Every structure is written in C-alpha cells, then in structure tokens.
Amino acid sequence: MAQSTTALDAAAQATPRNQGEPTTKKPGGLVRTLIIRHYPKPFECLLEEGHPMNLKELSEKLGLSQTTVSRALNGYPEVSEETRRRVQEFARRMNYQPNSNARRLATGKSNTIGHVVPLSEHDMLNPHFTDFVAGASKVYNRRGYDMLISVVNAGTEKEVYRNLARNRRVDGVIVHGPRVKDDRVRILTDLKLPFVIHGRTNDPEDGYCWVDVNNRRAFAKATEYLIEAGHRRIALINGLEFMTFAANRREGMEKALREHGIEPDAEIMFSSDMIEPNGYGAMTDFLSHRDPPTAVLCSSILTAMGAMRAMHERGFSVGRDLSLIAYDDCLSFLPSTGDHPSMTVMRSSIRLAGELCADMLIDQIEKKPGRRNHLLEAEFVIGSSTGPVRAKATA
C-alpha cells in the first residue's frame, strides 16, 4: 500500500483543501477511501474556536431554529425569500459546510463524485491519475462537489459500485482505465448510477458518456511523419494493450505502416506499464535486434525517458542517429516542451480531460443539457528528437 498512499497524498495535495478518512475494511478486501472536500476560501476562515461551524452554531448566531436554517439552505419553498437570502449569505460568509450525511438524508444527494481505482500489478495510481484528479478537482471546487477515491483490490470493483449506489455515498462516478472488454458500462447502467468514462470501451459509443483522445489518428499521424522522413523500421513502446487507448494506438500505427506498404514487425513492439524502466528495457532489446529500428513511438513521456537513456548508453544521438516521438499527457511535474522543445510529441492534457469529465458528469447529475461525449485531437509538436533516417542503429 505504500505506493498507493503516496499517489493518494499527491492527489490530495493537488486540491485546494482536503480531509481524509482512514483505511477501512470492507467485504471482499481492503478499501482505502479518501474524501476530498473543497472550500472556496482559506481553511482558516472555517474555524471558530478551533473547529468548523456546524448547523447548531449557525442557527444560534442567526437566532433561528435549526429546521428553518436547514430548509433555507436547501431551498424549501415554505421559507420566505428574505430569510433564505439572509441564511445563505451568512452561511457563505462563515464558509459553512453542511454535514454530508445530514445533507444526503435531507436532499437525497451527497454532492460527492466517486473514483473507484483497482489495485493490481497494473496500478492505475500513477502520475497520469493524479494529474487527471487535479483537473477534476478544479471543477468539483467550482461547482460545490466533494470527491471520494476508493482504492480497492482487483476484482472487487463491482461490489464497491453496488455499495456506493445502495448507500447513496456518491451522486455519480468517473470510470478510469477502460478495457477493450469492460463490463462496467453494463453494471453502472443497471445500477442507474450516473457515470462518465475517461476513455472508451468497445461498447456502442452512443450508449454512455465519455471523454477520450483520438489515439488512432494521433499514432497514425506520428507514424506517417516518420515514414516521410525515410524511416521504415519503426518500433512501438506501448501501454497495456488490454486497455482501449493502447489497443487504438497500435491500430493507428499499424494501419499507417500498411498503407505505405510496410508490414508491422511484432518483434519491435512492446506493451507494458508506462514507466521509465520499461521504456529502457524495451529499447535496450530493440537495439540488440538483428535488424534494429531507426525510430520509435512511445505511449508516454515516462517510457520515452527510459528509451532515450538506453539510446544514450549505446552512444546514439537522439534525433540524429535515432528518432523518437512520445505521447505527452502534459504531466505537471514533467514539462516536455518550451521555446525549443527537446522532444517531438503528440500532446493532449490529461488535466483538461479531468476537467471535461467532471463537468460532463455533474451536468448529467443535475440534468442539465450538454454533450454526452468529447473526442479530443492530440496536437503534434515537432522537437529535436526526430530527424531523417541515417542508417541502421547498430552499436
């Protein structure tokens, strides 16, 4: 759990204010839950005599009953407009935050969005996830929602979704890491729990809400750029290909190769978690191949860093001896471009995707009109890591 806790802490630090719940035991395995609450003003404004103001204290200061204050805050029609304005304005000034359990009982809403993250050998708690959450939390803060992150053992997701729906702990969920074969769409639809998927599955695209990048087009365009520069031996360091985004990236690359009369070579294609050591290991193997590649596509800046390390160790100059293009999620801690970008990239902000998913889900919860899907196009940025083919990359 050490790695997960670190990632969760990073997610919490990316939000304006937060308070967490401890790790708890649930049926079917360990569930770590983090609730992040958003406050529009500095946290110090919440404190009176060392603790947040509650409904009783708010009522006493207003000289009204708790029932009247609660009804005014929740917009009940039997409270006069003058009283409602007075209560709501005072609550805003005091930065009053209603008890979530009481609010859920009174309104049937929790004003909380859920993120269920499975723990497995393919841990989704990584920099991509925390940057996505940072984007989503910006919207939650603006629209008055809290965020609940449940980190669960692999295989227990279905039961967690059922518990969230049954206990009304969340008003909706954002689904992460969609797979080519993914039954979460059916489960959440049957539960009537609003949801948005970050990515897509192989289900009919008009049957659910989603935000995704055109991964096929991005990798096809990058492949065509390398082919136009004379490259024919093009390698791929991909993400896990049971996930839709990685499967689509490979499809886009292979389609572009075949359209130019080049048969894809599985021996210079690699699929695994998108971390630096995997990029290094894959590129080391490719360079030892009897017919090594002259260029490589990487599904992440992280694997690209590993690939470049392998190239440098072999004495190759990136962009001159070997070309490299990476997919850039615009990770906040790892900027890849500037006035003179060092890397050619396909760029699309994962933080922006978090914002779009959050807004789309809250519109759905609040029954507001809005789009049900959003397909982003990656920006192609030419840097110094690509160039014309020179010769076969032999050490």
Side-chain angles (χ1 to χ4, degrees), residues 295-327:
V296 60
L297 297 181
C298 297
S299 264
S300 169
I301 290 289
L302 299 177
T303 51
M305 291 171 63
M308 291 173 74
R309 178 160 66 95
M311 294 176 191
H312 290 146
E313 284 186 1
R314 292 290 193 97
F316 294 117
S317 173
V318 180
R320 188 185 65 189
D321 301 319
L322 291 163
S323 287
L324 179 147
I325 300 178
Y327 188 89

Side-chain angles (χ1 to χ4, degrees), residues 178 197-200 205 210-219 244-246 248-249 327-329 346-353 356-357 374-379:
I197 297 182
H198 178 215
R200 287 173 287 176
E205 292 179 3
W210 52 266
V211 174
D212 197 10
V213 177
N214 195 335
N215 287 293
R216 287 190 185 92
R217 183 176 297 172
F219 273 67
T244 316
F245 82 90
N248 289 346
R249 290 175 181 182
Y327 188 89
D328 179 14
D329 288 290
M346 302 158 274
R347 182 200 291 162
S348 181
S349 169
I350 197 167
R351 187 173 291 227
L352 172 62
L356 293 171
C357 283
H374 197 128
L375 184 62
L376 299 166
E377 296 292 342
E379 178 188 9

